[in-house]
Amino acid sequence: MDEIIKYAKENRRLLHQVPEVGFTEYITTYLIYERLSQTNFNLYVGDDALDIDTQVGLPSDDVMANTYQRALDYGVPSSFLEKIHPYKTGVVATIDTNQKGPHVVLRFDIDALPIKESNEIEHVPFKEGFQSKHDGEMHACGHDAHAAIGISVATYIDEHIDELTGKYTIIFQNSEEGVRGAASYAKKGWLDDADYFLSGHVGTISEEVGTVGATATNFLASTKFNVELFGQSSHAGSNPQDGNNALLAASAIALSLNTIAPHREGATRLNVGTLQAGQGRNIIPDYAKLECESRGETTQLNEYMFERAKEIIENGAKMYGCESKITVEGFAPSATCSKEMIDIVKSATVNNDAVKTIVDEISMDASEDAAVFINIVQENNGKATYLIFPYHLKYGHHHPSFDVDEAVLEVAITTFINILNELK
């Protein structure tokens, strides 16, 4: 077990240096594939792993071309890249013990964020020389740790296959950020006959290493959407009457979206994250773009927010003589973990010295597209949970100085392994 933990730390630090945002995880996919190739798992990538027609929120052609070239420069073979280009990153690994037992599906997300990593001397990745080599991209949410944990769990399964029963599917999923990736794997049917689904997250709350949340609660359903407004350009001085100001329409919409009434049945959220418009001070802007998101404590509450948002956008555009276009860039439903998993986690980890405290529930208060997988498994009468592995957070997730306390790797890996042995 010590070697598996050491292996996770090495892989986490390697992956931390090559962060890649959603759908561009070319190097990450290759590194995971290479490590899993040393096992007896059957490996699937590209069209064999996911359904590209299900994907939303795809990067531009320029982004894909640049990240493809970056992967070539890193040393990823073109023959491998062709299998996963474009948008088809991620790996699915399966293995069957050929012994009667459950089908357990595990999911680990692998994407990074568009954040420039801190170069402050107290920031451990910088101090110890494994900071991001990709300017403006960073593993600021711990997905490098998640991928490394998944590789180590796969290694354990492979080395102990004769002691296990049933079959195992491990999904190394792209594009969790923006809740864009899960649906494309689900569409391929990897979870259709799953008896159990396991996933999780390091951090999320600040607690002593060794604390484990057996289930997560308060997965907020979310819709990520872009708004484009099309007006009419004109000279702001000589012919203002001929213009339809898309910037003013966008501004009115941004303000009005924040007037949507909260709902009596639960928490709701709406955020306008960006607004881009205008070419110059004497030009009436003919185009504007907003990036927005809605959230709800339930899928129905999120739908309430999104439907009201659409009404405001359409009418706000008309007020200024503009046309509007709304594009959904990501979606995650709400979900509830299976309560039965609490006792399973407690029983499984009773002799695990790395686990100090089991907490029945830890609140997420955020969105996660693992909810897609949780719901599918439960609809087919399986059990599902999303575990939380906290540590003391000096900086929060999505911060330039975010870092993972690598002591949590042992907690997560051994907990997953304990559960697999409990379920066999």
Side-chain angles (χ1 to χ4, degrees):
M1 186 60 68
D2 288 345
E3 287 301 312
I4 286 178
I5 304 302
K6 180 182 177 183
Y7 189 42
K9 181 177 178 179
E10 293 171 353
N11 284 322
R12 183 257 161 167
R13 292 190 170 206
L14 175 63
L15 293 168
H16 189 86
Q17 296 175 63
V18 287
E20 298 164 296
V21 297
F23 298 117
T24 73
E25 307 99 325
Y26 294 127
I27 300 170
T28 304
T29 297
Y30 178 69
L31 292 173
I32 293 169
Y33 188 92
E34 283 296 287
R35 277 143 185 77
L36 296 180
S37 295
Q38 300 170 32
T39 71
N40 291 297
F41 274 85
N42 300 305
L43 304 181
Y44 303 87
V45 296
D47 291 322
D48 294 330
L50 52 81
D51 179 75
I52 192 171
D53 294 332
T54 311
Q55 296 173 327
V56 293
L58 301 175
S60 68
D61 291 343
D62 286 345
V63 168
M64 298 310 297
N66 290 337
T67 53
Y68 180 96
Q69 185 60 51
R70 182 173 67 184
L72 280 175
D73 295 341
Y74 183 86
V76 181
S78 59
S79 58
F80 183 83
L81 285 172
E82 290 304 319
K83 297 177 183 178
I84 61 174
H85 177 75
Y87 316 123
K88 296 181 285 189
T89 46
V91 182
V92 177
T94 67
I95 196 166
D96 195 331
T97 67
N98 295 313
Q99 299 294 322
K100 185 178 180 181
H103 178 198
V104 182
V105 178
L106 302 99
R107 175 277 215 163
F108 302 94
D109 41 14
I110 67 173
D111 56 324
L113 287 154
I115 293 174
K116 183 176 178 63
E117 184 163 14
S118 170
N119 60 1
E120 297 295 324
I121 190 61
E122 68 270 15
H123 182 54
V124 174
F126 180 78
K127 181 169 62 176
E128 299 192 14
F130 64 95
Q131 74 272 24
S132 170
K133 295 179 179 178
H134 296 166
D135 188 45
E137 294 177 84
M138 175 191 173
H139 272 296
C141 199
H143 296 187
D144 50 341
H146 297 171
I149 291 164
I151 293 168
S152 286
V153 171
T155 301
Y156 175 88
I157 293 171
D158 183 63
E159 292 178 352
H160 295 80
I161 195 68
D162 293 338
E163 304 165 25
L164 298 168
T165 64
K167 60 181 181 178
Y168 301 89
T169 298
I170 305 180
I171 300 171
F172 292 87
Q173 181 207 309
N174 68 10
S175 309
E176 187 282 322
E177 300 293 350
V179 292
R180 297 172 292 165
S184 62
Y185 295 87
K187 186 68 178 292
K188 293 294 282 191
W190 296 113
L191 300 104
D192 289 353
D193 65 344
D195 298 294
Y196 295 95
F197 172 76
L198 307 173
S199 190
H201 211 297
V202 299
T204 77
I205 64 169
S206 191
E207 292 287 347
E208 180 187 5
V209 172
T211 303
V212 174
T215 63
T217 60
N218 293 336
F219 287 95
L220 300 180
S222 182
T223 302
K224 318 297 184 184
F225 60 97
N226 290 343
V227 179
E228 293 179 283
L229 299 166
F230 305 92
Q232 178 63 50
S233 181
S234 182
H235 193 288
S238 60
N239 293 297
Q241 73 282 353
D242 293 333
N244 296 320
N245 197 314
L247 188 156
L248 293 181
S251 300
I253 288 168
L255 293 172
S256 297
L257 285 173
N258 284 279
T259 68
I260 298 175
H263 203 289
R264 62 182 290 182
E265 294 182 4
T268 55
R269 308 275 193 275
L270 195 139
N271 187 56
V272 179
T274 71
L275 192 165
Q276 301 168 346
Q279 304 102 304
R281 70 179 73 250
N282 63 345
I283 305 167
I284 292 175
D286 63 352
Y287 178 80
K289 181 179 179 180
L290 304 95
E291 294 181 327
C292 313
E293 65 171 19
S294 61
R295 300 185 197 241
E297 189 173 332
T298 65
T299 302
Q300 292 71 30
L301 287 170
N302 177 60
E303 288 174 355
Y304 158 76
M305 294 297 290
F306 185 48
E307 290 303 316
R308 287 291 292 116
K310 288 195 291 186
E311 293 175 7
I312 288 170
I313 291 161
E314 291 166 2
N315 288 308
K318 289 177 182 177
M319 281 174 42
Y320 288 88
C322 297
E323 298 292 327
S324 63
K325 178 182 178 182
I326 301 170
T327 306
V328 173
E329 297 288 310
F331 172 76
S334 58
T336 302
C337 293
S338 304
K339 299 300 183 185
E340 299 92 331
M341 293 302 301
I342 295 173
D343 287 339
I344 290 173
V345 175
K346 288 180 175 178
S347 176
T349 57
V350 68
N351 294 317
N352 187 336
D353 292 337
V355 175
K356 308 301 182 185
T357 306
I358 297 289
V359 180
D360 288 0
E361 300 175 344
I362 292 178
S363 179
M364 287 283 290
D365 297 318
S367 306
E368 232 288 0
D369 66 1
V372 172
F373 299 143
I374 291 171
N375 289 342
I376 289 172
V377 172
Q378 291 175 337
E379 287 165 5
N380 293 327
N381 299 313
K383 305 290 189 296
T385 194
Y386 189 92
L387 298 117
I388 304 295
F389 304 101
Y391 55 92
H392 289 297
L393 291 165
K394 186 176 180 181
Y395 297 94
H397 294 262
H398 297 205
H399 188 281
S401 295
F402 173 84
D403 191 25
V404 171
D405 183 341
E406 291 175 337
V408 83
L409 298 174
E410 178 180 1
V411 180
I413 292 166
T414 55
T415 297
F416 279 119
I417 289 171
N418 291 158
I419 296 170
L420 296 183
N421 280 306
E422 184 76 9
L423 297 177
K424 68 182 181 183

